[in-house]
Amino acid sequence: MVLFAHGSGSSRHSPRNQFVADVLHRAGLGTLLLDLLTPQEELDRANIFNIELLASRLTGATRWMGSRPDGAMRTLGYFGASTGAAAALLAAAQPEAQIAAVVSRGGRPDLAGRRLGDVAAPTLLIVGSADKQVLELNRQAQAQLRCPSQLSVVQGATHLFQEPGTLAQAARLASDWFARHLLPAGGGPSLARP
């Protein structure tokens, strides 16, 4: 099961997030797309950058998922975009976190700050080659990670992966990473589509 952490004003209704979720479903992975801010909280732009708040909400959703009879035995991963990537990494850095993999797409992992070194889950950072500033921030963040990590650069992609084929490539990279780290050895879907 992959929990999505949206960022920069995106929501569970984002076509990009829904596209990625569909690719993950086809790989046999369940997804949970939820909004980490209430509509009222979204009106205050500062909340989008309140990484601690976003991470605490994601941690709460993770605990809720683990308490459900249908979720207790699932291996969990986080998918974060933009500031949601920092929230996913901060939540994965918690001592009690039992997250098996993290993927950041066009993310700002640097906003997780000094806690990057506490992340234990294998982490994939996906960045567009044309998103130069974010690419450099991801390189710097990867240098602080002590977990297994990989930086994948999607050629020709800008921050939102709007160029033809770039979002599909990013979704395939995420799907492969999660399948490797979340699905049982031997492959094949093991989780029912929600």
Side-chain angles (χ1 to χ4, degrees):
M1 177 68 74
V2 178
L3 284 73
F4 277 57
H6 316 300
S8 298
S10 187
S11 76
R12 68 185 186 280
H13 301 295
S14 160
R16 287 184 301 277
N17 291 331
Q18 290 184 359
F19 177 84
V20 173
D22 186 55
V23 171
L24 298 182
H25 286 163
R26 284 183 272 148
L29 296 154
T31 58
L32 177 61
L33 284 75
L34 66 158
D35 295 331
L36 300 176
L37 297 173
T38 67
Q40 186 65 32
E41 289 170 334
E42 287 177 355
L43 297 176
D44 182 354
R45 183 122 174 100
N47 285 329
I48 294 168
F49 293 94
N50 187 339
I51 306 306
E52 287 81 17
L53 173 64
L54 298 174
S56 71
R57 300 276 172 85
L58 185 58
T59 298
T62 304
R63 274 196 299 270
W64 172 81
M65 189 70 211
S67 71
R68 294 177 46 86
D70 61 344
M73 297 306 292
R74 292 186 184 219
T75 306
L76 300 177
Y78 288 152
F79 178 88
S82 196
T83 56
L89 287 162
L90 189 57
Q94 301 303 315
E96 71 279 1
Q98 294 186 16
I99 302 304
V102 177
V103 172
S104 162
R105 180 193 48 83
R108 290 289 311 273
D110 57 295
L111 295 176
R114 58 181 177 74
R115 297 301 307 276
L116 284 169
D118 297 330
V119 176
T123 300
L124 173 64
L125 307 170
I126 305 170
V127 186
S129 66
D131 194 5
K132 304 268 188 224
Q133 183 177 6
V134 172
L135 179 55
E136 182 55 32
L137 292 170
N138 273 258
R139 285 186 175 126
Q140 292 170 13
Q142 185 186 24
Q144 296 178 53
L145 291 169
R146 291 190 289 227
C147 60
S149 66
Q150 179 178 322
L151 176 64
S152 292
V153 180
V154 176
Q155 292 304 312
T158 55
H159 187 64
L160 296 178
F161 293 80
Q162 294 175 312
E163 297 71 25
T166 59
L167 183 60
Q169 185 178 349
R172 280 192 304 276
L173 289 166
S175 176
D176 290 348
W177 190 264
F178 284 130
R180 182 178 330 140
H181 295 287
L182 302 185
L183 295 177
S190 65
L191 305 176
R193 183 176 178 159

